[in-house]
Amino acid sequence: MAEYIAPLEILIEQFRLLPGVGEKTAVRYAMSLLHRSEEEVARFADAILGAKRDVHECRICHNISAGEICPVCADPDRNRSVLCVVETPQDAMAMERLHMTDWRYHILGGVLNPKRQLTAEKLHIEDLLERVGKEEIHEVVLATNCTFEGDTTAAYLHKRIAAQYPDVRITRLAQGIPVGGYLEYADPITLTQAIQGRKSL
């Protein structure tokens, strides 16, 4: 006999597909939905479908957006000369929560990782180089995570940018972010120190 009845098992398995959700958490989520009204569950389902349908990738920076261009790229008051390169939209969100920078972003879509077949061609690197030239960027802030893959990607980007645009200042987030740490989970004080203490490469 199965541990859970079929409809519940299917729901639990769907929750388990989410990152960081183990079996116990998936069961708790599934049981929680069963105890909600049909109207509440319908709103939950509509929110998921709506987000999947209405959230797009910004054609300029590859951040998430409700339109063709994200609010950051569309903001005329943003500093047009500084471009911050991050791995994911979540990393850009973490910095935006600080309300201390007015730069724009470029989302790589990951980091170099041959084991996972993430090569330079699969990341948004070529259009980053194109942006640096077209948009008259004076500084590129390499804000990849402080992991082996993040450092490797930053070194690769530094080499490519410096070779193509020798006059562009290239900086890296400095003190505050521990080795192996992720920007998404950094507390505001730590992330602020890292931004303020960035150094030239």
Side-chain angles (χ1 to χ4, degrees):
M1 180 178 175
E3 187 174 358
Y4 305 107
I5 59 174
L8 183 58
E9 180 70 37
I10 293 171
L11 182 57
I12 291 169
E13 286 304 312
Q14 291 306 305
F15 278 121
R16 288 193 66 182
L17 294 176
L18 298 174
V21 176
E23 183 174 356
K24 290 182 179 179
T25 301
V27 170
R28 191 164 60 249
Y29 287 167
M31 294 303 292
S32 174
L33 284 181
L34 291 181
H35 289 94
R36 293 176 181 267
S37 68
E38 285 194 25
E39 291 77 13
E40 288 177 309
V41 174
R43 284 197 299 271
F44 184 76
D46 288 343
I48 295 173
L49 291 172
K52 182 62 179 175
R53 180 185 61 243
D54 299 331
V55 174
H56 310 284
E57 186 176 280
C58 174
R59 67 174 176 82
I60 297 174
C61 72
H62 304 288
N63 205 343
I64 56 173
S65 175
E68 188 178 0
I69 299 175
C70 73
V72 172
C73 288
D75 186 351
D77 295 326
R78 287 278 172 162
N79 186 342
R80 315 298 288 183
S81 67
V82 181
L83 192 61
C84 180
V85 181
V86 294
E87 296 177 21
T88 67
Q90 297 95 305
D91 294 336
M93 291 175 194
M95 291 192 180
E96 284 296 288
R97 284 194 292 268
L98 299 176
H99 303 291
M100 65 167 290
T101 61
D102 65 347
W103 55 36
R104 291 174 301 141
Y105 298 93
H106 187 85
I107 315 298
L108 288 174
V111 285
L112 296 173
N113 190 331
K115 290 182 178 179
R116 296 177 55 194
Q117 286 77 50
L118 279 175
T119 59
E121 295 74 25
K122 294 185 178 179
L123 302 179
H124 302 298
I125 293 176
E126 294 305 320
D127 49 345
L128 165 63
L129 296 171
E130 185 178 335
R131 288 185 71 188
V132 173
K134 279 186 176 180
E135 300 177 19
E136 298 182 357
I137 303 298
H138 295 156
E139 179 185 357
V140 175
V141 182
L142 299 178
T144 52
N145 288 308
C146 298
T147 60
F148 175 78
E149 292 83 5
D151 288 341
T152 300
T153 304
Y156 176 82
L157 292 175
H158 175 264
K159 182 179 179 180
R160 294 284 307 273
I161 296 168
Q164 197 165 338
Y165 306 103
D167 294 332
V168 172
R169 182 185 181 210
I170 305 171
T171 59
R172 180 95 164 103
L173 293 189
Q175 61 184 7
I177 303 297
V179 174
Y182 288 84
L183 297 181
E184 181 183 354
Y185 304 116
D187 63 90
I189 295 175
T190 298
L191 192 51
T192 298
Q193 290 174 340
I195 292 171
Q196 291 176 336
R198 68 185 186 275
K199 57 184 179 180
S200 296
L201 295 176

